Amino acid sequence: MNARWSNVVLACAMLPMAAGAMTPPSADNALAQRLHAQMEAQAPAAATRSTAVRQTTPGHWVVELGAAFLEAPGDGRQVPASLDERLQALRTELMTRNGKVAVDDVQFVFGGRSLEAWYSAAEDSQGRRVDRAQGGDGVLVAAGHGHYYHQGFADWRLQRPWAHGMVEDLVTPRFAARLADGLAAAAVKVHRARSTADALHPEAAKPWWTMAARYHIHAWMPQREDIWQSWEDRTAALAHYNDDIRSRPLLANALGVQALIHLHTNAAASPQARGMIGFYQPGREADRHFGHVLLCAVREALRADPIYADYRVDVQPRSGNYGENRLAQAPSLLVELGFHTNAEDAAALQDAAFQQHVADGLQQGYLQWHRLGDQAPGC
């Protein structure tokens, strides 16, 4: 293992809002508890159901949050990353119970309308989908998250907090490196959203490999501001933060890749929550199947190691409206590799053997899907 992985000690300042791999703020946490109580009160035979939550089929829920929950309702343009991540954190809280993922799917509506209905003009790539059978230029491997410039505080900071001796921004590149190496060895063209260089970023004075994707893409394609600087409000404190989330799928679209694999770690208010979960964009069956094939292969790879044979992998990906998937034209899977808020998961996430098993599984799953497409069996 490169010594840089074992010698990283970087200060992390918290974002001034919720973040997807962080636990929700107190107000949202209280909301999650109220919604949980309403969900649990709805027994299958109940005659009266809450208007805030309804179960469409067993384990699948629609939750009404109201239009006021949105940060810029009706602007018709861009979904703020902070809103995406508040919803991701809230969804995680509603899906997990007693240390397990107890709910299959949670869909949010706002005044009866979907997120896409509120922000439709610039965020809809449904009409430009990439057909797997038509080829494509390899796969984009995107490690979350990395250092970014906060224009409000005028400093450089990581996007996620330290927990159990690790921080997502600096651990996910290890998985990405192993996966990229494996795919390249199998003659798959691999594109990386983040840099792999050890040299210092000239402005941040941080190693390039710790920097968010936005800055790598800027250096790689300086003329493509539409990719690395796509957030419209350039005066916003979190302009670079919003750029970063959007830059990954926009890069993939520009490259014409066949698929996207986003690597993240998860968080929950309960330290007992554990395991791996995948997310795909609602309504995209091809993406759901792609994710299922990959997650099945990861579970199989982990089962071969007695230490990780029982590591929880939910092989059925959940639908979740996240910018990294929503803006992608090719099949896209966001993998929450484990909960860094759980001590055992955090230890696994930092273990080179675990990282290699996960990378091997993702590689095998991708190769199977690449060969067979919709006919890939999954598990």
Side-chain angles (χ1 to χ4, degrees):
M1 181 185 299
N2 192 310
R4 71 186 185 198
W5 301 121
S6 59
N7 294 325
V8 172
V9 180
L10 292 171
C12 173
M14 297 282 288
L15 286 171
M17 84 288 288
M22 295 161 61
T23 55
S26 57
D28 286 356
N29 200 22
L31 173 61
Q33 292 177 20
R34 292 196 300 271
L35 292 170
H36 253 310
Q38 294 178 51
M39 293 164 72
E40 291 176 346
Q42 296 193 46
T48 303
R49 298 187 182 276
S50 164
T51 57
V53 297
R54 57 188 174 89
Q55 189 171 196
T56 55
T57 57
H60 294 256
W61 294 83
V62 175
V63 177
E64 172 63 69
L65 294 178
F69 191 94
L70 302 176
E71 297 180 19
D75 74 355
R77 295 190 301 273
Q78 299 175 327
V79 181
S82 54
L83 173 60
D84 260 342
E85 294 169 345
R86 282 184 70 199
L87 294 174
Q88 182 180 356
L90 185 57
R91 180 180 287 107
T92 299
E93 294 305 313
L94 295 180
M95 290 176 60
T96 55
R97 204 55 156 173
N98 299 322
K100 296 181 179 180
V101 179
V103 172
D104 291 330
D105 191 41
V106 176
Q107 294 296 308
F108 295 121
V109 292
F110 311 86
R113 301 169 65 192
S114 68
L115 192 70
E116 293 91 337
W118 287 100
Y119 302 90
S120 58
E123 305 292 12
D124 183 11
S125 62
Q126 292 271 19
R128 298 169 288 148
R129 302 296 287 154
V130 173
D131 185 349
R132 185 203 66 84
Q134 296 177 359
D137 190 20
V139 58
L140 178 75
V141 176
H145 285 269
H147 280 102
Y148 80 105
Y149 185 69
H150 193 298
Q151 295 189 156
F153 291 107
D155 64 13
W156 294 87
R157 55 182 60 194
L158 293 171
Q159 298 180 39
R160 294 300 185 259
W162 286 87
H164 297 294
M166 63 159 283
V167 61
E168 177 179 357
D169 308 52
L170 306 183
V171 167
T172 53
R174 309 183 200 181
F175 289 87
R178 296 177 187 279
L179 174 58
D181 288 347
L183 288 170
V188 175
K189 188 170 185 178
V190 181
H191 304 279
R192 298 282 293 276
R194 288 174 59 180
S195 175
T196 62
D198 290 302
L200 296 183
H201 181 272
E203 297 177 54
K206 312 288 186 183
W208 263 104
W209 68 269
T210 75
M211 299 299 295
R214 178 203 187 280
Y215 307 102
H216 173 55
I217 301 167
H218 182 187
W220 178 10
M221 301 179 176
Q223 75 283 7
R224 293 300 304 268
E225 292 187 11
D226 57 316
I227 298 176
W228 50 266
Q229 190 169 278
S230 68
W231 187 248
E232 292 181 350
D233 184 1
R234 300 315 307 165
T235 64
L238 297 175
H240 286 210
Y241 184 80
N242 282 285
D243 288 339
D244 182 48
I245 297 297
R246 299 168 60 84
S247 69
R248 305 154 198 245
L250 294 178
L251 172 65
N253 296 346
L255 294 171
V257 301
Q258 188 177 49
L260 300 81
I261 302 173
H262 306 278
L263 303 171
H264 292 262
T265 68
N266 214 341
S270 169
Q272 283 74 46
R274 300 194 62 188
M276 187 179 302
I277 313 172
F279 289 96
Y280 69 98
Q281 182 63 18
R284 299 182 183 175
E285 174 59 24
D287 296 40
R288 186 207 64 77
H289 181 69
F290 171 65
H292 175 59
V293 173
L294 267 62
L295 291 168
C296 287
V298 170
R299 186 177 68 174
E300 189 65 23
L302 289 171
R303 283 180 171 177
D305 185 337
I307 297 176
Y308 296 113
D310 296 328
Y311 190 88
R312 184 177 299 128
V313 178
D314 287 332
V315 297
Q316 294 295 344
R318 271 60 173 194
S319 64
N321 199 326
Y322 308 134
E324 288 156 295
N325 291 333
R326 182 176 57 248
L327 296 176
Q329 295 170 9
S332 180
L333 177 69
L334 189 153
V335 186
E336 299 283 9
L337 300 160
F339 284 80
H340 57 250
T341 45
N342 175 272
E344 293 181 68
D345 274 16
L349 291 166
Q350 297 173 78
D351 180 18
F354 179 83
Q355 295 161 13
Q356 191 63 57
H357 293 325
V358 171
D360 290 344
L362 290 171
Q363 174 195 335
Q364 291 305 312
Y366 174 81
L367 293 175
Q368 183 183 54
W369 174 83
H370 178 75
R371 292 194 307 269
L372 300 176
D374 293 344
Q375 303 305 311
C379 55

